Amino acid sequence: DMPLLYDEADLLTDSEEAALLAKLESISSNADMDVVVALVNSVGALSPMEYADDFFDYNGYGQGENRDGLVLLVSMEYSDWWISTRGSAITAFTDAGIEYIGEKVTPYLGSGDYAAAFEEFAVQCEAFIAQANTGDPYDTHNLPKDPFNKGLALIVALIGGFIVGKFYTGKLKGELNTVRKQAAASGYVRENSLNVNSSRDFFLYRNVSRTAKESNSSSGGSSTHRSSSGASHGGGGGKF
């Protein structure tokens, strides 16, 4: 019976809490997994990982037989965040995916814009769950890419190229200020400056074809551990 939003640290206004809770309930209902946000003052003697796992397990979160779901824990005491996953959420939110979400959320947490941080978390959860439903969850090989502003990139490239070109041609022009026009071509050649005493043939080029060896090492996926309740959890986190 615990709500999907728990704000012990009182970081959100009443209106922000209402909007975020409605969003979390909508995502959880559509995805058949609980998406939870927990904001606490301290994790006490536990690590953020242990606290997040226990918060999820012992408060009865998770849908279905496997208790599918995840919780974003934010602890204010030492500026910790941790995402704990269980059930199908372990597959949907890989280690690389959680790191990606952290990179999106922590700038807002660090600046104190908590409402924007949790809104971003909810948006990312929707996207990650939708991608997981395709059978190819976001991972090291297919993480979302930020929109590329082609127009801005072109403008920056043109301005940068103009500045560099102007500087370089000015430098070359300065190095040629001692050159004077000569009446004949022979005037540009220093007398006895070119003397060919011998000649040799050198082998300069060869074509080498290389084929990369296949690597047996794998990357990506979700690392897991056992919580104090004995359940299997994935997750990851850091500081903000």
Side-chain angles (χ1 to χ4, degrees):
D1 295 331
M2 285 285 287
L4 298 176
L5 171 61
Y6 178 76
D7 187 10
E8 175 194 73
D10 198 23
L11 300 179
L12 303 173
T13 66
D14 291 344
S15 60
E16 289 170 343
E17 284 187 5
L20 177 57
L21 181 57
K23 182 74 170 176
L24 296 175
E25 289 175 344
S26 174
I27 298 172
S28 300
S29 176
N30 293 331
D32 294 324
M33 69 169 65
D34 283 345
V35 179
V36 185
V37 172
L39 319 174
V40 301
N41 292 313
S42 171
V43 296
L46 299 178
S47 68
M49 179 189 78
E50 292 168 336
Y51 193 102
D53 292 347
D54 288 351
F55 185 89
F56 190 94
D57 293 344
Y58 294 119
N59 284 309
Y61 292 112
Q63 297 188 34
E65 183 180 354
N66 296 319
R67 305 273 300 273
D68 303 325
L70 70 157
V71 56
L72 167 62
L73 170 75
V74 173
S75 175
M76 299 305 295
E77 184 176 21
Y78 298 115
S79 300
D80 292 303
W81 69 273
W82 190 272
I83 294 175
S84 175
T85 57
R86 183 169 172 178
S88 62
I90 296 176
T91 303
F93 295 84
T94 62
D95 293 349
I98 290 173
E99 183 178 355
Y100 174 87
I101 294 174
E103 291 173 352
K104 294 295 183 182
V105 170
T106 51
Y108 294 115
L109 292 176
S111 65
D113 193 350
Y114 302 111
F118 305 131
E119 172 66 22
E120 180 67 24
F121 172 69
V123 168
Q124 293 299 333
C125 283
E126 275 192 304
F128 271 67
I129 293 168
Q131 180 64 27
N133 288 336
T134 69
D136 186 23
Y138 282 131
D139 206 346
T140 52
H141 67 286
N142 66 341
L143 288 173
K145 290 180 172 55
D146 293 330
F148 182 70
N149 192 326
K150 293 182 179 179
L152 179 60
L154 179 60
I155 292 172
V156 172
L158 289 174
I159 294 174
F162 175 79
I163 293 173
V164 172
K166 190 75 173 174
F167 173 79
Y168 185 68
T169 53
K171 183 174 181 294
L172 292 179
K173 183 178 179 181
E175 292 175 352
L176 295 176
N177 59 9
T178 59
V179 176
R180 299 290 183 271
K181 185 176 180 180
Q182 301 295 323
S186 59
Y188 294 100
V189 180
R190 183 178 299 171
E191 188 177 356
N192 299 322
S193 62
L194 179 64
N195 295 305
V196 179
N197 298 320
S198 62
S199 63
R200 297 179 183 177
D201 292 329
F202 292 95
F203 177 72
L204 297 179
Y205 305 102
R206 67 177 176 179
N207 292 324
V208 179
S209 221
R210 293 186 174 92
T211 303
K213 293 183 179 179
E214 292 187 5
S215 173
N216 293 324
S217 62
S218 60
S219 59
S222 299
S223 56
T224 59
H225 58 273
R226 292 285 176 183
S227 65
S228 66
S229 70
S232 179
H233 282 261
K239 299 283 187 179
F240 62 88

